[in-house]
Amino acid sequence: AIDCGANVGKITKRMAVNAAIVYAFEPDLNAFKILLSNTRDFPNVICLNKAVSDHNGVERIYFKNKYNENPEKWSTGSTLLLDKPDIDKNNFTECEVVDLSEFIQKLDKPIGLLKMDIEGEEVKVLNKLIDLNLHEKIRNIVVETHERFPTLKKPTEDLKKKIKSRGIRDIDLEWA
């Protein structure tokens, strides 16, 4: 299983009970520290302090306006998107970004579940997975989409049309 946007590990732990191995990606360092603590009793969880997208590199991760008041609570909104509403464009850190398609290709084994809540990168990642037919290696994909962000409305609509036109049934965009 792969948990992209694992945050503090609530879903990761549920996956770990039912999966042989869980790869948990979380770029927010405060959330990542809690994720490590929350999954320390699960030897089958591999925690990666990295963001997920459709490319490799190093990018800024931006924090919510209220982040400094309560980093654990507001870590759920940390994002690579500079134009995401309600972020502080002056409050960021740099993090490693992993191309999920490349990661899945290197795993070279089927995946039972892929969960994505990556604050706006979902459309890019899913388009690449579909274009490379990698979604066929994944039994179930559950995604929280972010079309409520103005710049993601049309790309999300286009992705939904692509999924429907190709008859793909294993991607749930209504998960959260």
Side-chain angles (χ1 to χ4, degrees), residues 5 7 26-31 51 60-65 67 71-81 84 86-87 91 93 95 117-122 146 149:
N7 197 252
E26 177 52 50
D28 183 290
L29 187 56
N30 288 304
R60 289 179 174 176
I61 179 170
Y62 296 93
F63 302 112
K64 304 251 322 164
N65 287 330
Y67 185 84
E72 181 180 346
K73 177 180 179 182
W74 297 109
S75 65
T76 58
S78 299
T79 183
L80 298 176
L81 294 180
K84 179 183 173 189
D86 200 25
I87 63 155
N91 189 8
T93 190
C95 68
D117 182 2
I118 49 177
E119 296 304 306
E121 294 294 298
E122 297 86 0
H146 294 85
F149 305 164

Side-chain angles (χ1 to χ4, degrees), residues 25-146:
F25 289 90
E26 177 52 50
D28 183 290
L29 187 56
N30 288 304
F32 183 74
K33 289 175 184 176
I34 298 168
L35 170 66
L36 285 174
S37 176
N38 286 342
T39 59
R40 69 178 171 264
D41 294 332
F42 294 92
N44 59 324
V45 174
I46 299 168
C47 297
L48 302 154
N49 185 214
K50 301 175 183 186
V52 171
S53 189
D54 64 344
H55 61 278
N56 291 309
V58 175
E59 289 191 34
R60 289 179 174 176
I61 179 170
Y62 296 93
F63 302 112
K64 304 251 322 164
N65 287 330
K66 297 180 180 182
Y67 185 84
N68 290 337
E69 295 172 18
N70 186 339
E72 181 180 346
K73 177 180 179 182
W74 297 109
S75 65
T76 58
S78 299
T79 183
L80 298 176
L81 294 180
L82 180 59
D83 61 352
K84 179 183 173 189
D86 200 25
I87 63 155
D88 180 348
K89 294 178 180 174
N90 297 310
N91 189 8
F92 60 85
T93 190
E94 291 195 341
C95 68
E96 184 176 349
V97 178
V98 173
D99 181 331
L100 186 63
S101 294
E102 189 176 293
F103 181 83
I104 289 170
Q105 286 173 322
K106 286 180 181 177
L107 280 180
D108 196 32
K109 54 184 144 188
I111 298 156
L113 176 63
L114 167 62
K115 174 247 167 192
M116 270 196 288
D117 182 2
I118 49 177
E119 296 304 306
E121 294 294 298
E122 297 86 0
V123 171
K124 292 192 290 187
V125 171
L126 283 171
N127 273 315
K128 188 166 184 181
L129 287 173
I130 292 167
D131 292 345
L132 295 173
N133 293 318
L134 289 172
H135 67 285
E136 295 174 359
K137 293 178 71 171
I138 306 165
R139 188 176 328 123
N140 293 296
I141 301 172
V142 294
V143 182
E144 178 178 342
T145 59
H146 294 85

Side-chain angles (χ1 to χ4, degrees), residues 130 158-169:
I130 292 167
D158 292 344
L159 175 64
K160 288 178 180 181
K161 288 176 188 173
K162 178 190 256 186
I163 290 169
K164 185 175 182 178
S165 74
R166 296 193 184 187
I168 300 170
R169 301 194 188 285

